[in-house]
Amino acid sequence: QAQPVASGGGSVQAGGSLRLSCSARGSTSGSNCVAWFRQAPGKEREGVAAICDGPWYGDPAKGRVTIVRDNTKNTVDLLMYRMKAEDTAMYFCAAGYAGGAVIVASSYRSWSQGTQVTVSS
C-alpha cells in the first residue's frame, strides 16, 4: 500500500470553506477505512472524520464537515464549511486501518504528511 498524500490546505477566513484531498493507490479505494485527523499546536491529535462502508464523524467539527470517497480517482476528500478559528491545525490523512475505533489514531498504520489549515477571524 502506498503512503497517503494529503493536499489542499491553505488559509481561509472564518465562515469560509476548504477541501482537503487524500490519495493513496490501493488504500483509499473500495471500502478501505480512511480517516482525517488534525493537530493544533500544544494539543493532541483528534479525529475529524473517517469513511469505511459509510462515514463517521468526530465531535470537533461534526455538522461542518463531509467526507467523500471517489473510487475513480482513488481519493478521500474532506469538505469543510462554516469554518471557525478553532479549525486551525495541521491536518493528516490516515490509511492502513488495523482495526479498532475508526476515529482513533492508533487504528491506522500509514500517515500522510501534514497539510496546514489556517482560519482567520
Side-chain angles (χ1 to χ4, degrees):
Q1 290 183 337
Q3 182 176 2
V5 176
S7 62
S11 297
V12 63
Q13 289 190 332
S17 302
L18 204 62
R19 184 183 188 120
L20 306 181
S21 185
C22 175
S23 63
R25 187 178 298 276
S27 299
T28 50
S29 60
S31 60
N32 293 317
C33 291
V34 177
W36 281 95
F37 292 81
R38 69 186 187 186
Q39 188 166 17
K43 296 187 177 181
E44 293 186 356
R45 190 166 296 191
E46 58 184 9
V48 179
I51 187 166
C52 303
D53 289 332
W56 299 74
Y57 295 99
D59 289 335
K62 187 177 292 184
R64 297 186 297 108
V65 298
T66 300
I67 189 168
V68 296
R69 189 197 307 269
D70 187 333
N71 285 325
T72 63
K73 298 179 181 178
N74 290 315
T75 60
V76 172
D77 290 357
L78 182 70
L79 285 64
M80 301 184 287
Y81 34 88
R82 298 195 304 276
M83 298 184 72
K84 303 177 181 180
E86 52 261 44
D87 294 323
T88 295
M90 190 73 77
Y91 284 70
F92 302 87
C93 172
Y97 176 65
V102 296
I103 299 287
V104 172
S106 60
S107 298
Y108 296 88
R109 292 187 294 254
S110 185
W111 291 81
S112 71
Q113 85 293 354
T115 185
Q116 178 67 40
V117 172
T118 303
V119 183
S120 58
S121 56

